[in-house]
Amino acid sequence: MSLVDLLRTQCAEAWSAAKATARLAIGLPDYDAYVEHMRARHPDATPMTREAFAVERMEARYGRGKSRCC
């Protein structure tokens, strides 16, 4: 592996880590991590779609049908 390839790989890994950290900091769930978890720990189950995952996470965070002020 050349030095350029190594640097490219390290930059890509650092960027992925930075994106994950930013998502956690602002409360956005990580769909890709969820899918990896499902494949590793629950191979028989079908993962939710990205849209269903987003809805489920919002409901889990803010409550189902509950009104919440700031």
Side-chain angles (χ1 to χ4, degrees), residues 15-63:
W15 180 248
S16 292
K19 286 191 311 184
T21 300
R23 284 188 180 117
L24 286 173
I26 62 173
L28 285 177
D30 189 348
Y31 180 74
D32 295 330
Y34 158 74
V35 172
E36 286 180 31
H37 167 81
M38 290 298 289
R39 288 186 178 150
R41 305 288 173 131
H42 312 282
D44 299 342
T46 302
M48 291 182 269
T49 64
R50 187 175 294 273
E51 293 79 16
F53 176 76
V55 168
E56 192 276 333
R57 293 287 78 216
M58 288 298 217
E59 288 177 350
R61 182 174 184 159
Y62 297 112

